[in-house]
Every structure is written in C-alpha cells, then in structure tokens.
Amino acid sequence: MQNKLQELTEKLYSEGLSKGKADAEELVANAKKEAEEIIAKAKEEYSRILESAKRDSNDFRVKIENEIRMVSRQTLAAVKQKIEEVVITKAIENPVKESVSSKEFLGTLIKSAVASFNPAKSDAITLEILLPESQKNELDNFIRKDILSQLNSGIELSYDKKIQSGFKIGPKGEGYHISFTDKDFQGLLSQYLKPKTREFLFSE
C-alpha cells in the first residue's frame, strides 16, 4: 500500500513537474516572441523617425540655403545700386553745379528758353523767370543788363527761396514753369550714364 502511495506521489510529482516545465517553457517562448516583436517594432519606428528626421533636416537645410542665397543676391543688388547712385552722383553733381552756377552758362540757357516761347510774335505772352533768391544780388544786374536787354520786353524776374541754382520759366499767371535747375540736369544726365554704369556693375 505504501509502495503504491509512493508511486502515485512520484507520478503526480513527475507529471506536475513536467507540466510546470512545459508551461514555463511556453511562457518563456511567448515572452521571447513578444520581446522580439517589440524590438522589431521599435527598430521599425526608430528607422521611420530617423528617416523623417533626415528628410526634415534636409528640407530645412535646403530652405536655409535658398534663403541665404536670396538674401545674398538682394544684398548684393542693393549694394550695387547704392554704388551706382554714388558713382553717378559724384560723376555729375559737381560739374553740373559749377555749370549751372556760371552766369554765362545761365545766361545762354535763359536766352534759349525765352526763344523757345517765341516772344517775338505779335501774340507773345509775358514770361516769368524764377531765380534763386540766395543769388539775387549776384544775378539781378547781370540778368537785367546782359540778358533781358537783348530780348524783347514782356519778361519779369522773380526770386524763389526753393530754388537753389538754375532757374524756372513759364507764362506769367499760367501756374506752371519749366525747370532748369541743377537737380533737373543731374536727373537728365544720370539717365544717360545709368545704362553703362549698370552694365559695368551688374554684369556677371
């Protein structure tokens, strides 16, 4: 009886041990499988994040490089334009001011301007010439004696604080004048100088 009981005990123990071992092995296998799946998913997610980061980084780099190139081109163009303005201004400013400040040159201009209105006709209009007020003492006698005395009557002289050099001329009372100031001549001459200066500065 005791032997049978011992055999039964050993059988139950052996079967329980085997089943427990099998269950343990199954649990380990399942855990290992789950771990492998988790690791595989983690690697896949890592690769996805890495690729996305690389794309974003490359897109950002390209965007920054494009912006830098654009800003560089704009800055260079602005600098060249400033140089263009300085070169043209320096090239014509002083010569024009000197010429317009010359009484003889001014007299020639006034005669030509008056002649263009053709006051010699019977229906001639009264012309008004505006001169710089700052040069009134210097110009008044010269214009009246040496210029207007050679032309027909119907010309009035006025002086304007807003005019720095040169003169303006127009029909009296009509509300408009044709301007012959240093700024006008500088603007005119700069139009001739700009194409060549721009070609020199902006050519690649």
Side-chain angles (χ1 to χ4, degrees), residues 34-86:
E34 288 180 3
E36 288 175 350
E37 289 177 354
I38 291 172
I39 292 172
K41 287 182 179 179
K43 286 182 177 179
E44 185 180 339
E45 183 66 12
Y46 170 76
S47 297
R48 187 188 66 78
I49 293 173
L50 184 62
E51 287 300 318
S52 178
K54 285 181 179 179
R55 284 196 302 271
D56 291 345
S57 175
N58 187 62
D59 291 344
F60 181 73
R61 179 182 59 80
V62 171
K63 182 180 178 182
I64 292 298
E65 288 177 352
N66 289 337
E67 288 183 358
I68 290 174
R69 279 194 290 268
M70 182 181 69
V71 170
S72 298
R73 285 194 297 266
Q74 291 175 343
T75 302
L76 182 60
V79 169
K80 286 182 176 180
Q81 187 172 0
K82 189 65 179 177
I83 293 173
E84 176 190 13
E85 293 172 0
V86 171

Side-chain angles (χ1 to χ4, degrees), residues 1-16:
M1 184 72 169
Q2 187 176 356
N3 289 335
K4 287 186 177 182
L5 184 61
Q6 186 176 354
E7 287 177 5
L8 181 62
T9 302
E10 288 177 356
K11 183 180 180 182
L12 289 173
Y13 174 77
S14 177
E15 288 178 354

Side-chain angles (χ1 to χ4, degrees), residues 113-179:
V114 170
S116 68
F117 282 94
N118 202 7
K121 289 185 178 179
S122 57
D123 58 347
I125 56 176
T126 300
L127 296 176
E128 181 180 40
I129 297 176
L130 301 178
L131 295 161
E133 187 170 293
S134 60
Q135 300 177 27
K136 182 176 181 179
N137 294 335
E138 179 183 356
L139 294 176
D140 197 68
N141 287 335
F142 170 73
I143 298 296
R144 293 184 189 281
K145 280 182 61 177
D146 297 356
I147 305 300
L148 298 189
S149 61
Q150 301 175 28
L151 302 171
N152 294 327
S153 58
I155 299 174
E156 295 186 8
L157 288 184
S158 297
Y159 292 87
D160 191 337
K161 291 181 180 179
K162 296 178 182 179
I163 301 176
Q164 300 300 315
S165 64
F167 67 98
K168 293 182 179 182
I169 186 171
K172 183 175 175 60
E174 293 295 324
Y176 75 91
H177 295 88
I178 298 173
S179 185

